[in-house]
Structures are given as C-alpha cells and as structure tokens.
Amino acid sequence: MFRVAVCDDDVWICREIRRILEENHFDMCAGITADCYTSGEELLTDLKTRRFELLILDIELPDIDGIAVAQYVRENLHDDQTQILYISGKSQYCMDLFESMPLQFLVKPLEEKEVVRLVQKAVYLKYKKGYMFQFQKGNMMC
C-alpha cells in the first residue's frame, strides 16, 4: 500500500486530491490510501507515529507551514525517502524549497493530469529498486 498525506487548509482541495488518487490507477503499487490534514500541526502530530510515502503539502498554512513540515521530516525524522510534493497558489516560493529535496512544486489551481503524473513518479521512485517486504506493527509500517 502506498500511503499519502495531503495537507491543505482548503478542505475542498484535500478532497479533490483524495478523489484523484482513488479514481486513478498507479502502476507498481497495490493501492493508494490518502489521509487529509487541514493544518501542519495536525500532520506533525501524526508523523511522530506514522509514515507516508508521499506528502502533498500546501506551503501556506495557518499554523505550521508546509516548508516547516518538510524540514521536520528531513531533519528531525532523518527521512530522505518520503517524497514531497508542494502545492501553492503562489509561485514565489520555488527557490525556498530545494533544501527539503522535493519531488516537485505545483501551482494552484491543480491540473488532475499533473497530479497523476507526479504521484506515478513518486510510486515509481519508491518501488524502482524492487518490491520491499512491509508489515504493520501497531500504527507503524515497517
């Protein structure tokens, strides 16, 4: 299972991304689950006990922004494997994102075709070296 966290303070965007993920087929994975978060703080709380293969992060959030969430994943969790896809209504943030090694940056409004293409790329990057054995222990995937 390929796990995705979508974090955007606009509930409609979260639901739309979840719909896109559920309605499309992605090669190399048995299925995709998407959890939606409307605040960076809420996502950071879950990241202490859960892992995702892909984070889709809005940059501008009311409490902890998407860039800070990505920095936490890279620096505090020492996680360089999770793919990060930034989304924003403003393109001015592009240069601020490189340190977190993002997969890509998409400007809103999002095009379904681009979201599908980039999620497929994230799936490919996860599984290109062969399939991994994974198991669940409590709330953690190992």
Side-chain angles (χ1 to χ4, degrees):
M1 189 63 64
F2 192 83
R3 294 170 307 277
V4 179
V6 180
C7 188
D8 195 304
D9 56 333
D10 185 332
V11 175
W12 184 86
I13 290 176
C14 286
R15 288 180 184 154
E16 184 64 12
I17 293 173
R18 179 185 284 167
R19 180 198 63 77
I20 291 169
L21 297 176
E22 290 173 351
E23 290 181 1
N24 285 278
H25 171 75
F26 297 93
D27 296 333
M28 301 176 76
C29 73
I32 290 185
T33 62
D35 293 333
C36 291
Y37 300 87
T38 54
S39 77
E41 188 174 337
E42 181 185 12
L43 176 55
L44 282 179
T45 299
D46 267 12
L47 285 171
K48 293 175 182 174
T49 58
R50 300 182 67 198
R51 293 291 176 262
F52 298 94
E53 279 73 40
L54 174 64
L55 303 177
I56 300 177
L57 303 173
D58 185 11
I59 293 175
E60 293 181 326
L61 295 166
D63 50 8
I64 299 170
D65 67 33
I67 296 171
V69 171
Q71 287 173 334
Y72 178 85
V73 168
R74 298 294 190 233
E75 295 171 11
N76 295 76
L77 299 178
H78 308 288
D79 180 353
D80 291 333
Q81 301 302 310
T82 299
Q83 296 295 324
I84 298 171
L85 172 59
Y86 287 110
I87 56 177
S88 179
K90 300 175 184 171
S91 62
Q92 69 204 38
Y93 295 105
C94 286
M95 299 310 292
D96 300 331
L97 308 177
F98 287 106
E99 192 170 324
S100 63
M101 301 177 296
L103 174 67
Q104 185 64 277
F105 172 79
L106 289 177
V107 179
K108 296 175 188 176
L110 301 175
E111 293 182 29
E112 182 169 341
K113 185 171 126 178
E114 272 302 287
V115 172
V116 170
R117 183 184 73 79
L118 291 170
V119 171
Q120 182 62 62
K121 183 176 182 179
V123 170
Y124 172 78
L125 290 171
K126 168 76 177 176
Y127 296 113
K128 73 177 183 177
K129 293 180 182 173
Y131 291 95
M132 295 176 47
F133 174 75
Q134 293 183 336
F135 63 95
Q136 185 169 349
K137 181 178 179 183
N139 288 335
M140 295 291 294
M141 291 297 291
C142 306

